[in-house]
Amino acid sequence: MSNLPKKNELGFFEIRLESIGGLGANLAGKMLAEAGVLGLGLNGSNFSSYGSEKKGSPVKAFVRYCDPDVEIRDHSPIEQPHVVGVFHEALYKTVNVVSGLPADGIVLVNSTRDFDSVREDLKLDYGRLAIVDAMKIAHEEKTKVNTAMLGAMYRILDFLDPEEMRNVIRKTFEKKYPHLVEPNIRTFDRGYNEVEFKTYELPENAQGKEFTRPQPMLGYLTQELGGVITAQANSILKDLSGSRQGFLPAFEQEKCINCAACDTVCPDFCFVWEEGEDKRGRKQMFLSGVDYQYCKGCLKCVDACPVSALTDMSETIGYAEANRVAQKFPYVAGGRN
């Protein structure tokens, strides 16, 4: 008798992990597949999809399980997963994380918010929603989000054996990083115990989410002659907030001495300056605030600040928007400030 709770037409139970580079989704996918194969004797496969392979860029990890007598010959990206794990909430802004999810699918989200708020952002009509504060767990245990998410995932995938994942964690870390074995097992256990669920009633004839594959604006049929890209360079227009991993710098202007040490180490356009006069009437540039649109949460500015005018804080919903001081690039913005 099969251990798998559901199967698609090819006999697969499929999982898709949606994340950003740096949170360990690729490793989580490998460990999840390995534990299913070693623990239950299932056939399994894992692979990931990522672009520039840098911290903060979108990442997808795919896991397929099937019964031992079924061969896995399909290595295409998973378009209709039974379970989706969302490692970073900011992905909602740029990625349709629930694309292809069936009506009775399960979504696990790393979040501190309530179920209805997350459901509204996901545009999830029905199905099962699970929430765990994986960032808090990882911060307190000094580990990464991935093992907390794995713990929560194992609570969802109750056909898997948690003890087998603990063995995989030991095997993964004990040679190179033996000091990380016990913290990661604690992180896994906390994710397993602290995840919460809510089920939204499934009406009759409920339809799942249609899978959509993003298409480039300019392809071989629509590209200008000569391969000219008509859009201007867009680094200034990008919102980099999706790269933050739960922390950002908080600015206290009363403590600031306008030394520009923060701006010297900042890799982007985070710090906004305005011309003014000091107490003696001399011209000087004064730091007016942080433009969180460009802040990736690297916290180099916090380390560089000599007077603690910048301190690290756990990001809360709405803080960046409420405290942002916007840069002014009038030429790029078409004459607008």
Side-chain angles (χ1 to χ4, degrees):
M1 183 176 177
S2 175
N3 290 309
L4 298 174
K6 297 176 185 177
K7 301 175 190 176
N8 62 15
E9 62 276 8
L10 296 176
F12 301 145
F13 182 87
E14 299 184 324
I15 304 165
R16 188 173 72 215
L17 306 180
E18 302 273 1
S19 183
I20 62 171
L23 294 183
N26 182 34
L27 179 59
K30 291 178 181 178
M31 295 168 71
L32 194 57
E34 184 177 345
V37 171
L38 297 180
L40 289 179
L42 297 169
N43 279 347
S45 71
N46 154 256
F47 56 100
S48 298
S49 170
Y50 35 80
S52 53
E53 202 171 351
K54 65 182 179 182
K55 187 175 180 180
S57 58
V59 173
K60 295 179 189 290
F62 308 106
V63 179
R64 282 190 173 96
Y65 292 131
C66 63
D67 293 326
D69 58 341
V70 177
E71 291 188 27
I72 299 179
R73 296 179 178 177
D74 181 2
H75 300 286
S76 60
I78 292 173
E79 298 181 350
Q80 294 181 306
H82 295 96
V83 179
V84 172
V86 184
F87 281 48
H88 198 296
E89 280 193 283
L91 283 165
Y92 305 164
K93 299 178 182 178
T94 56
V95 178
N96 183 7
V97 294
V98 296
S99 176
L101 187 74
D104 59 348
I106 304 173
V107 184
L108 168 65
V109 183
N110 170 23
S111 178
T112 59
R113 295 188 293 153
D114 62 271
F115 286 98
D116 292 339
S117 297
V118 174
R119 177 196 184 193
E120 183 178 353
D121 280 351
L122 288 173
K123 298 180 175 59
L124 198 66
D125 301 317
Y126 25 71
R128 199 177 190 196
L129 180 60
I131 292 179
V132 64
D133 190 354
M135 186 64 70
K136 174 188 174 184
I137 296 171
H139 179 60
E140 291 177 352
E141 299 293 345
K142 295 181 174 56
T143 54
K144 281 195 172 185
V145 166
N146 56 354
T147 40
M149 290 292 286
L150 281 173
M153 189 70 70
Y154 258 68
R155 188 75 173 273
I156 294 168
L157 307 175
D158 54 7
F159 62 92
L160 295 176
D161 180 9
E163 187 56 39
E164 190 57 47
M165 176 52 75
R166 296 185 188 101
N167 292 335
V168 170
I169 290 173
R170 293 187 185 97
K171 179 181 176 182
T172 301
F173 292 103
E174 64 186 357
K175 287 187 178 180
K176 283 190 175 182
Y177 311 104
H179 61 289
L180 294 180
V181 172
E182 291 307 317
N184 274 284
I185 290 177
R186 288 197 304 269
T187 302
F188 173 82
D189 290 339
R190 287 188 60 184
Y192 185 91
N193 293 317
E194 294 178 25
V195 64
E196 297 180 343
F197 302 90
K198 185 171 182 177
T199 301
Y200 293 94
E201 187 176 351
L202 204 66
E204 291 185 17
N205 303 319
Q207 298 293 317
K209 296 287 184 182
E210 182 181 354
F211 176 77
T212 55
R213 183 178 290 108
Q215 299 295 324
M217 293 179 62
L218 296 175
Y220 76 98
L221 291 177
T222 55
Q223 179 63 273
E224 297 289 333
L225 291 175
V228 176
I229 297 177
T230 57
Q232 61 189 4
N234 62 353
S235 294
I236 285 175
L237 303 178
K238 284 185 177 179
D239 186 340
L240 303 179
S241 60
S243 299
R244 292 197 289 269
Q245 298 185 25
F247 299 91
L248 47 68
F251 177 54
E252 294 182 60
Q253 194 155 32
E254 299 77 17
K255 295 182 179 180
C256 183
I257 58 175
N258 304 296
C259 65
C262 54
D263 210 358
T264 301
V265 298
C266 180
D268 278 291
F269 312 108
C270 296
F271 295 99
V272 183
W273 298 84
E274 291 185 356
E275 187 177 332
E277 294 183 354
D278 64 12
K279 295 179 180 179
R280 299 182 180 180
R282 297 173 297 187
K283 295 286 186 182
Q284 185 177 330
M285 298 300 290
F286 292 87
L287 181 59
S288 59
V290 181
D291 191 340
Y292 290 108
Q293 174 181 336
Y294 305 112
C295 179
K296 294 183 285 191
C298 68
L299 302 180
K300 293 178 181 178
C301 56
V302 174
D303 294 334
C305 183
V307 292
S308 299
L310 290 161
T311 54
D312 63 303
M313 63 168 285
S314 298
E315 184 173 3
T316 54
I317 300 297
Y319 178 88
E321 291 77 8
N323 294 277
R324 177 193 175 201
V325 176
Q327 291 278 15
K328 296 179 180 179
F329 298 119
Y331 294 109
V332 173
R336 300 188 305 272
N337 289 334

